[in-house]
Structures are given as C-alpha cells and as structure tokens.
Amino acid sequence: MLSNELKSKINKLWDKFWSRGITNPITAIEQISYLLFMRRIDDADALEKAKAIFAEQEYKSIFDDKEDCRWSHFSQLDPDTMLEVVSNKAFPFIKNLNDPSQPYSRYMENAMFIINNSALLDEAVKSIDELFQDIKQQQDEGQQFQDTQGDLYEYLIDEMGSGGKNGQFRTPRHLIQLMCEIIDPDWTDKICDPACGTGGFLVGAYQHVLTKYTSPKEIIEDENGLNRFRRFGGDKISKQEVWDNLWEKSFYGFDVDQTMVRIGLMNLMLHGIKVPQIENTDSLSKKYDKEYKDGEYSVILANPPFTGRIDKGGMSDKLKITGTNSELLFLIRISKMLRPGGKAAVIIPEGVLFGGSTAQKQTREILLKDNQLEAVISLPSGAFKPYTGVKTSILVFTKAEEDSSKWHTEKVWFYDLKNDGYSLDDNRRKLAENPLPIAVDAYKNRTNQTPIERTNHFYVPLSEIQDNGLDLSYNRYKKFEYQEQTYEPPQKILEALFILETEIEKDMKELKNLIG
C-alpha cells in the first residue's frame, strides 16, 4: 500500500509533466517508467554487488565502461548536461540490456525518450529521488515483499483516469502473497499469468521461491504474518542451473497493452529476473492459438479482467462456451494452458460461481470436469477498494484431463476469509490482526482438520453441487445460524425518544442564541 506521502509526491510529479506540455496520460506513464527504471537499475546493480560480496563471489557490473549511464552519476549534473547524457547515452543503454531476440529488447526497440526540456528532467529526477527515499523507508519498515513500484504505476494510472478500465484492477500484494503460499511454486515450475499487467503475480511467485531457499537467519515475519527473506533471498541456492532456470525459463506473461508489457518487463528485471518472458499478445485470441500450445504451464496465477467483453471475430475458436465475457473465457483459457497436474489460483467475481447463464454453467462444468477444483476461497467485498467493491473469490484447481467426459472433482473445500488484515473501506488501513497465515494453515491442513459443521470452512461433495445447478458460491452451502435479537419494552424506547427530543431542542436553542 502506498503511503499518503508517496501519493502526494506522485501527484506532484504528474503535475510537472502536465505543466511542461506532456499531457497524454499514457505518454507520461511511459516516460516516468523509463526514469524509474534508470533509477532502480542503478540500485539493483549495487544490490547484486552486495549479494556477491555476501556470498564471496566475483561480480561484473552491467555498468562496466558505462558509468556515465548510472543514475547516481547523471543526477548530479547540471540540467542541460543531464538531458544530453540521458537522451544520448543512458536511454539507449537501457534499451539494449537484453539479447535482441528477447521480449524486453523487442518491445523497447521502438521506445522513445521524448523529454526535451532540461528543467522538466531535472525536476522529475529530483522528485523520483524523493519517491525512492520514501520507498526505502517502507521497505525498511517491513514491506520488502510489497511491489511498491507496481503500486506506484497503478496509482499513476488511476489518477490519470485509466484505472479500472474494462474491469482491470490491480491485485493487492498481500493477496498475491496468499495465493503464492497456497499454490507454492518452485524453481522447477513454468509459471504464467495470462493477463499480467505490471507483472505483480510473477514478482510474487519469484519472491516466494527465493524465500523457500533462504537460510532461517535471513527469514523474518512480514506485516501480514507471513515469512519472507530479509534482504538476500535464495542464499541456499548453490547450483547455477537453478538460478539460470529462475532468471530465464520460469516466468511468462501476456498482456494486450504494450505499455503494460514494457512496464512488466522492466519490473521483473528490476526484481532479479534477468530474461523475463512477457509478450504483447491477447491470450484469448486466435493469434495466441497460432503461436502457443496448450498444456504448457505447471503454475498459473491470475486476476483476469472483470466484466470485459471481447470481439467475437478475433476470439480463439478453442474457447467453446456461449458468450464473450472475459472472466469466463480466461478461466477456460487458463484450464487449457495448464499441463496435467498443473495448479492454478485465479481471482474471479463471485457472479461466475452462481450465475445461471449457459456460459457460466458451461465454465463451472469445465472447472469440475477437466480439473480437480480444490478450493473456493471467498474474499471480503472490500478487498479491491478503492477501485471496486465487487465481491470476489479465489478458485484453486489442478488440471486433470482436457475435454474430459467425466467429473474429476469429488468434493470442493470452501473457506470464508472474513477480512484480509486491512480495513475494508477506501483507505485500506493495516489492522492489528493477521488472518492470512490462518487461511494458509487451514488450506494446507484441510484434509484432516476441516470440521463437519459448515461454519467458516467445510467440504461439499460433488453430488450436492450438481443438485444445486453447479452453484459454487460459499453462501449456498454455509450454515446460517439465527441469532435471536432482544429489544427493550416499547415504553422504555418511547421514554428514551422523549429524552433525546428534549436534548435536541435544548441544543437547537443554544445554536440559535449563538448565531443571533
């Protein structure tokens, strides 16, 4: 979560671009992204050097023979010289950090640095330095797992009037962390998000894997009560083969927005994934079918767009359900993308779980037949505020067989996450309690610790789900307990009303005397 101080500084940064003539929101986001990347890549290089020293290894800086491309160098120059260095050296440098055949280089090939006002660049650089001082303070206070830069992008997009378009909402970091704890990805997995945005799920999965391979002395409990690495994650990984797999072959994403693809690629690289694989492709399209095969991934983590509708003409012929609702089509696509035994955790609007349309029922049937639907975790209605109050759930399922004629789900585990550790209003303040570790423990021990009584969490057999029209909503099966209400006798209530009326009359007279 961004602090109010950070939000205020982001607003001021946006104002600087607007006042200097860069008024197109997407253009401003791109230019700010490049500057953020330059700033963070300098920090990341310093961190990698510190890791190498910590592990008593040699380190070759990406800035060898390019020291003038460092943020720490050009940010100290006078405005005119800074503009010349950034335009002619630093920006071309960041465009060519990867092999030309890799997605990052391909999508950065046509990127342009259009800040041509030295005063604007100088002001923006100073503003970004202030932002990073606040970000460092947040991390020092225990938010290493938080993708603060991703939060920053989301806030920029929302403030510029593009947030929430077509039902696309950024997933809170702690919910990503919860889903990673449940799915438990490893370095051997091929992990994908078919609508990845800024890459938050992929970053979360990477950090989860690193935490698994971090020495106990380097593990701390974060603000959500879950384990994370203190600073140097993955210190127990000694084989280069493992690092190479994590850096180049583990993380894949797709998004229809080229700006988000560039931001996602930069975001993953800055978190340590050296060759991220994110493509500017609509994963619901015929183009995707031509270029990619089904059954490719062992882990999928996603929060696909809600309530969006796609062009039927360009829609994949493989997504054989009635209708064009994106949240349903993404569930079908995710099922097809999973290899047998592969696992997925997907956030969906709860209407998908009980809706009576043909497409909704077809989708639920595929989830229960082609997969073993393991869990439905009901999230609180404020989980996505301030962007939306839509009630959502997390579906957890394991791929069994494509186009199955039989049911591979025998029973489904339901869990009610009443709150996620944050206030359920627009402010989303951190609360004292930490319910996420309790939810993770309940999921991991669900086989032998789930009560028969249907209160907070319980199993429902497939036969009962079938009898209810494949309804998968938590409230359909929860036991509702009637709590008898007691009231004061009518005479006492009436007496209290008379007393209240007398007090109001007295206050009104005092107010009248004050205003004359």
Side-chain angles (χ1 to χ4, degrees):
M1 299 289 175
L2 293 178
S3 66
N4 289 330
E5 290 80 8
L6 267 176
K7 290 179 181 178
S8 175
K9 287 173 181 176
I10 294 167
N11 289 338
K12 290 178 182 176
L13 177 60
W14 162 238
D15 288 341
K16 294 180 194 301
F17 277 78
W18 181 272
S19 64
R20 300 282 183 172
I22 301 179
T23 56
N24 183 298
I26 299 302
T27 303
I29 290 172
E30 283 188 313
Q31 300 307 305
I32 292 171
S33 297
Y34 301 147
L35 292 175
L36 289 169
F37 189 68
M38 292 177 199
R39 173 66 167 78
R40 283 193 66 184
I41 203 169
D42 194 355
D43 288 348
D45 184 71
L47 180 61
E48 290 299 315
K49 183 178 180 180
K51 283 184 181 179
I53 294 171
F54 181 76
E56 299 181 350
Q57 298 172 343
E58 292 186 7
Y59 178 66
K60 180 176 174 60
S61 170
I62 60 170
F63 290 101
D64 275 2
D65 302 322
K66 301 281 186 181
E67 289 294 320
D68 52 353
C69 294
R70 286 186 181 274
W71 179 282
S72 54
H73 168 76
F74 66 71
S75 64
Q76 304 302 313
L77 302 173
D78 66 85
D80 290 338
T81 307
M82 185 196 306
L83 179 60
E84 182 180 347
V85 169
V86 172
S87 299
N88 299 324
K89 294 183 178 181
F91 185 67
F93 170 75
I94 68 165
K95 286 179 64 173
N96 296 286
L97 285 173
N98 269 183
D99 183 281
S101 65
Q102 297 300 332
Y104 173 82
S105 296
R106 283 190 278 111
Y107 291 117
M108 288 295 287
E109 183 179 3
N110 297 321
M112 297 177 63
F113 189 74
I114 65 167
I115 299 175
N116 54 19
N117 184 303
S118 60
L120 171 59
L121 178 61
D122 185 54
E123 291 171 359
V125 165
K126 288 181 170 61
S127 295
I128 289 171
D129 273 335
E130 289 181 13
L131 281 171
F132 273 83
Q133 288 175 8
D134 282 8
I135 289 172
K136 185 178 185 304
Q137 182 179 342
Q138 283 194 15
Q139 291 175 334
D140 290 343
E141 291 172 355
Q143 295 194 41
Q144 181 81 8
F145 243 104
Q146 299 286 336
D147 177 14
T148 310
Q149 185 179 6
D151 291 334
L152 189 153
Y153 284 133
E154 184 71 11
Y155 184 73
L156 272 171
I157 293 168
D158 187 61
E159 287 300 296
M160 294 178 191
S162 302
K165 185 178 180 182
N166 291 329
Q168 299 179 60
F169 305 107
R170 182 170 174 76
T171 311
R173 301 303 95 195
H174 59 287
L175 292 183
I176 288 177
Q177 197 177 350
L178 169 67
M179 292 163 72
C180 288
E181 290 284 336
I182 286 171
I183 294 295
D184 193 24
D186 213 325
W187 71 271
T188 53
D189 282 310
K190 191 173 182 181
I191 303 163
C192 182
D193 180 350
C196 66
T198 60
F201 274 107
L202 302 177
V203 169
Y206 178 63
Q207 292 179 322
H208 176 85
V209 174
L210 293 189
T211 300
K212 288 174 67 170
Y213 295 99
T214 298
S215 300
K217 61 183 175 63
E218 286 294 313
I219 295 290
I220 63 172
E221 188 178 283
D222 71 3
E223 69 276 14
N224 297 305
L226 298 169
N227 287 340
R228 66 168 177 83
F229 55 85
R230 187 189 307 273
R231 191 179 180 202
F232 301 128
D235 65 285
K236 291 170 69 177
I237 300 175
S238 57
K239 294 182 179 179
Q240 191 59 41
E241 169 201 357
V242 177
W243 283 116
D244 289 344
N245 203 71
L246 282 170
W247 289 339
E248 300 179 16
K249 301 175 184 177
S250 292
F251 301 98
Y252 299 78
F254 301 92
D255 203 273
V256 296
D257 188 323
Q258 184 169 294
T259 299
M260 289 297 106
V261 169
R262 285 176 179 163
I263 290 172
L265 288 164
M266 289 188 284
N267 201 16
L268 265 61
M269 289 174 65
L270 287 168
H271 281 88
I273 302 169
K274 296 186 177 181
V275 188
Q277 304 293 328
I278 298 178
E279 296 289 349
N280 183 203
T281 301
D282 180 356
S283 54
L284 301 181
S285 67
K286 292 177 180 177
K287 179 185 176 185
Y288 178 92
D289 290 336
K290 290 179 182 178
E291 298 180 2
Y292 304 96
K293 296 185 294 184
D294 292 338
E296 283 284 292
Y297 302 100
S298 58
V299 167
I300 294 180
L301 296 157
N303 177 17
F306 299 171
T307 67
R309 292 184 180 272
I310 69 168
D311 174 22
K312 199 165 187 177
M315 187 176 81
S316 164
D317 295 325
K318 291 185 177 183
L319 307 177
K320 296 178 180 178
I321 62 169
T322 305
T324 57
N325 290 73
S326 62
E327 63 266 31
L328 302 178
L329 295 168
F330 268 110
L331 279 173
I332 306 301
R333 174 60 81 194
I334 288 167
S335 177
K336 289 183 176 296
M337 293 171 83
L338 284 173
R339 62 180 64 157
K343 294 178 71 72
V346 186
I347 296 176
I348 49 92
E350 284 208 344
V352 172
L353 301 177
F354 59 80
S357 73
T358 301
Q360 289 167 327
K361 289 182 178 179
Q362 288 173 331
T363 303
R364 296 198 294 268
E365 184 173 342
I366 289 170
L367 287 172
L368 294 162
K369 280 186 171 180
D370 291 10
N371 305 275
Q372 178 190 351
L373 180 59
E374 296 180 14
V376 176
I377 301 173
S378 179
L379 297 176
S381 58
F384 283 87
K385 284 190 173 181
Y387 306 112
T388 179
V390 172
K391 188 83 169 66
T392 56
S393 288
I394 299 171
L395 298 182
V396 182
F397 52 94
T398 300
K399 184 63 176 288
E401 179 187 8
E402 185 66 21
D403 295 327
S404 175
S405 60
K406 64 179 182 179
W407 304 87
H408 281 95
T409 303
E410 295 181 2
K411 59 182 179 179
V412 179
W413 185 73
F414 289 83
Y415 186 88
D416 183 21
L417 188 69
K418 295 186 187 325
N419 77 78
D420 58 357
Y422 293 80
S423 64
L424 299 176
D425 53 22
D426 287 353
N427 294 323
R428 298 290 275 147
R429 293 171 291 101
K430 183 69 184 77
L431 304 177
E433 62 264 33
N434 282 324
L436 299 191
I438 298 171
V440 172
D441 184 69
Y443 174 81
K444 290 180 177 179
N445 295 291
R446 66 193 184 281
T447 304
N448 52 21
Q449 291 186 13
T450 295
I452 297 175
E453 194 79 7
R454 293 183 178 181
T455 52
N456 178 251
H457 58 103
F458 48 83
Y459 274 110
V460 176
L462 175 64
S463 58
E464 187 175 347
I465 292 171
Q466 290 171 321
D467 290 343
N468 283 285
L470 304 185
D471 192 320
L472 293 171
S473 58
Y474 173 86
N475 286 335
R476 164 67 72 173
Y477 305 103
K478 174 188 175 181
K479 177 184 177 182
F480 287 92
E481 297 180 357
Y482 173 73
Q483 295 181 344
E484 187 175 352
Q485 301 292 322
T486 58
Y487 301 96
E488 294 283 353
Q491 288 180 333
K492 285 194 174 183
I493 295 174
L494 192 59
E495 288 174 7
L497 287 173
F498 279 127
I499 292 171
L500 182 60
E501 186 178 15
T502 302
E503 290 175 352
I504 291 173
E505 186 178 0
K506 180 182 175 183
D507 290 340
M508 292 291 287
K509 287 179 179 178
E510 290 180 0
L511 181 60
K512 184 178 180 181
N513 291 333
L514 284 172
I515 62 177

